[in-house]
Amino acid sequence: MPLSKPMQDALELPICPIEPAAHIIGQKWTLQIVYFLLNSSSMRFCELQDRLGGVNPSTLSSRLKMLEEEGIVRREQISAIPPHVEYSLTAMGRDLEGVIREVTRWSNAWLCGSTK
Amino acid sequence: MPLSKPMQDALELPICPIEPAAHIIGQKWTLQIVYFLLNSSSMRFCELQDRLGGVNPSTLSSRLKMLEEEGIVRREQISAIPPHVEYSLTAMGRDLEGVIREVTRWSNAWLCGSTK
DNA sequence: ACATAGTACTACGTTTAGTATAGCATGGAT
DNA sequence: ATCCATGCTATACTAAACGTAGTACTATGT
């Protein structure tokens, strides 16, 4: 049954419950970044840059900053020699595994479908 | 030495299997459009516009066109009176339900967590 | 006949997001 | 001192999304 909304729709159009998530996921590179971090526990900036195949470093930088602010990615300065930075997923980020799994399934079924 | 790049790295960078899906999903409004169409079997242009809360009609138009080309959305001209257009999901689009379900779960767990 | 309203858009000009390319800062190694 | 690697930032450009307005069609009211 399609959700029919009576009279109060102007005031409170049924809020789309995925809107805040869509705001994060619906940005370029977010899903791919999470995908790679899920598979490798931690990665460096340049490593991500290589894997993502041609993302521009400004975009990657701001995307990682946003994901850190949202609590999805953790940034750690490693003071070893040579010092560097490692990015990994928080619990919140790791919990996106279900989303990634479903996206992968759908992608394999309908987009990369030739090898099903 | 960190990963030195011989000559064949272009050949064997593990391709990200969600890239084609991310290209579709990682565009503004796509997830919300699919969410609403999953819940209502078919919707009109203006109805989507209202529910999405302030999407610009050019963007909605091009997004629907893209989704139709990808095989996710079906567009039907209804020749009743008054004539209008109805948008609905194809089988490919309906199969995104698992993705939407996981996104909803994650969103409720971490973003809208206070309520529900 | 003419204006008004609903539906589904398109057109125009502006802002924001993302891009290509280059360069900077730090810390070894040579 | 010079070179390289890492992790970015800076600059200038293009593409995506935006707000607002308007068009084309049909129907309905005056």
Side-chain angles (χ1 to χ4, degrees):
Chain A
M1 186 122 177
L3 22 100
S4 58
K5 257 331 201 181
M7 52 264 160
Q8 74 274 47
D9 56 358
L11 275 174
E12 45 98 19
L13 261 178
I15 302 254
C16 178
I18 66 167
E19 179 141 3
H23 183 244
I24 296 171
I25 290 173
Q27 285 190 276
K28 222 168 173 180
W29 304 113
T30 296
L31 280 177
Q32 288 103 311
I33 290 169
V34 172
Y35 172 83
F36 283 120
L37 289 180
L38 271 172
N39 286 322
S40 60
S41 82
S42 94
M43 291 179 87
R44 301 184 184 184
F45 189 91
C46 288
E47 200 177 352
L48 275 167
Q49 215 178 343
D50 289 345
R51 291 301 182 87
L52 293 172
V55 63
N56 138 355
S58 315
T59 305
L60 180 55
S61 177
S62 72
R63 189 66 66 254
L64 286 169
K65 211 162 283 174
M66 183 270 276
L67 289 171
E68 194 190 357
E69 280 163 12
E70 296 288 345
I72 293 165
V73 157
R74 176 168 34 242
R75 181 185 191 277
E76 279 178 291
Q77 297 242 22
I78 308 292
S79 306
I81 291 172
H84 60 275
V85 180
E86 296 202 344
Y87 294 96
S88 56
L89 294 178
T90 62
M92 181 180 178
R94 266 181 275 111
D95 194 40
L96 278 168
E97 195 200 339
V99 175
I100 299 290
R101 195 192 329 111
E102 285 298 316
V103 172
T104 307
R105 188 191 56 73
W106 183 79
S107 187
N108 284 334
W110 300 93
L111 297 174
C112 325
S114 56
T115 57
K116 176 127 185 218
Chain B
M1 294 292 122
L3 16 107
S4 52
K5 310 276 202 65
M7 43 233 104
Q8 79 272 40
D9 61 351
L11 277 175
E12 47 92 16
L13 259 178
I15 301 257
C16 177
I18 66 168
E19 179 140 5
H23 182 245
I24 295 171
I25 290 173
Q27 284 189 276
K28 223 169 173 178
W29 305 112
T30 296
L31 280 177
Q32 288 102 312
I33 290 169
V34 172
Y35 172 82
F36 283 120
L37 289 180
L38 271 172
N39 286 321
S40 59
S41 80
S42 93
M43 289 180 90
R44 301 182 184 187
F45 189 92
C46 288
E47 201 177 352
L48 275 167
Q49 214 178 344
D50 289 345
R51 291 301 182 86
L52 293 173
V55 62
N56 147 339
S58 315
T59 306
L60 180 55
S61 178
S62 74
R63 188 67 65 255
L64 287 169
K65 212 162 282 175
M66 182 271 273
L67 289 172
E68 194 190 354
E69 280 163 12
E70 295 287 346
I72 293 165
V73 158
R74 177 169 34 241
R75 182 185 190 276
E76 279 178 292
Q77 296 243 21
I78 308 292
S79 306
I81 290 173
H84 60 274
V85 180
E86 296 202 343
Y87 293 96
S88 57
L89 293 178
T90 62
M92 182 182 178
R94 265 180 276 112
D95 194 40
L96 277 167
E97 196 199 338
V99 174
I100 299 289
R101 193 191 330 110
E102 285 300 316
V103 172
T104 307
R105 186 192 56 73
W106 182 79
S107 186
N108 284 332
W110 300 92
L111 297 174
C112 324
S114 55
T115 59
K116 177 130 189 200

